[in-house]
Amino acid sequence: DDGTTAAFGPDGLGGTRVLLRSGDPAPDAPDALFSYPDDLALAADGSMVLEGYLEIGVGGVTNADDFGLWGTAGAGPLHLIAREGDRPAGLAEGARFAALQRWEVNATGEVTVSGTYFPPASGAAEDGLWHHDLYTGVTSLLLRKGDLFEVAPGDVRTVLFVGAGIRGAGGGDGKGRAWNDAGQLAASIGFEGGSRGLFRLTVPEAATGAGAAALAALAALRRSVRDRRTQPTSGTQTRA
């Protein structure tokens, strides 16, 4: 026994395959070697998400960037979804992930990631929420601190923090989850001034380029949200 650990997944032919093992080159992490898996989830379409650690000291890896998320669409190759220390999608040059806290994958190969990041001009970590499509490899920023959010007609508040999802959950184990196959995500959003609420974020496929399509309170309140790449209209979430 040499202490090697590995993560396994379906091979698309009814069998299993090795996704990644200790000492393997880590996908999309130049010169880094995979150390060991920490958690994984299998979706109904065969897609998988794997979280794990890199070997510190190899390829310049430190304890600030040794943790990441990798995924595979069906029986395809693994690719990097997000890694601590890397620049988060949708943020300015110089921003970097501080921690990847929660993530979920649904049965259509879509992943949500809730994490914290260091902005380029500040030493304080802030919250953000991202969407990743395992089939296209596209990652989109959905919501972060400083965004403007309309919680009622004429009541626009500034996002202070956002958190969503649970760790893992492929959806086939019967356990509760915050991200479903219709692309709906339960998110806790806090605002400047101390108010907070539980909302539903409906995310269309990343390939459409639509970003965040609708954001509504789980209880009753429903307000539409457009992609941050379009001009904001009434009932939208916009960048402060």
Side-chain angles (χ1 to χ4, degrees):
D1 182 5
D2 60 3
T4 298
T5 59
F8 299 84
D11 62 4
L13 300 173
T16 60
R17 60 174 175 148
V18 177
L19 293 173
L20 209 56
R21 73 187 80 201
S22 299
D24 283 352
D28 304 315
D31 302 321
L33 299 180
F34 187 69
S35 181
Y36 62 92
D38 193 39
D39 200 1
L40 56 81
L42 172 66
D45 66 343
S47 297
M48 293 191 69
V49 175
L50 163 70
E51 66 177 42
Y53 288 86
L54 304 175
E55 291 189 14
I56 294 177
V58 178
V61 175
T62 70
N63 58 11
D65 60 6
D66 66 330
F67 180 81
L69 294 177
W70 288 265
T72 173
L78 277 175
H79 65 266
L80 184 67
I81 298 172
R83 176 185 170 188
E84 293 178 358
D86 281 357
R87 175 184 174 183
L91 297 183
E93 186 69 38
R96 64 189 189 281
F97 272 119
L100 306 173
Q101 296 167 320
R102 295 183 178 91
W103 57 271
E104 287 194 68
V105 59
N106 66 13
T108 62
E110 295 181 274
V111 185
T112 56
V113 180
S114 177
T116 59
Y117 63 92
F118 292 115
S122 172
E126 299 179 356
D127 292 325
L129 180 63
W130 288 264
H131 170 274
H132 180 85
D133 189 316
L134 290 173
Y135 285 90
T136 65
V138 175
T139 302
S140 305
L141 174 64
L142 297 179
L143 194 65
R144 67 174 175 90
K145 179 181 178 180
D147 282 351
L148 300 180
F149 183 75
E150 186 178 62
V151 298
D155 183 1
V156 179
R157 307 183 191 185
T158 302
V159 173
L160 183 62
F161 66 85
V162 55
I166 60 177
R167 286 182 63 182
D173 55 8
K175 296 180 180 179
R177 54 184 177 140
W179 173 234
N180 67 21
D181 299 340
Q184 297 173 330
L185 176 71
S188 174
I189 303 174
F191 306 97
E192 291 184 0
S195 61
R196 63 184 299 175
L198 185 64
F199 299 85
R200 183 180 65 202
L201 175 64
T202 302
V203 185
E205 294 182 8
T208 66
L215 196 57
L218 283 176
L221 183 64
R222 300 189 177 187
R223 294 288 176 263
S224 66
V225 176
R226 287 189 178 181
D227 177 6
R228 63 185 66 258
R229 287 166 294 200
T230 65
Q231 293 297 320
T233 60
S234 177
T236 63
Q237 156 222 333
T238 59
R239 183 75 71 221

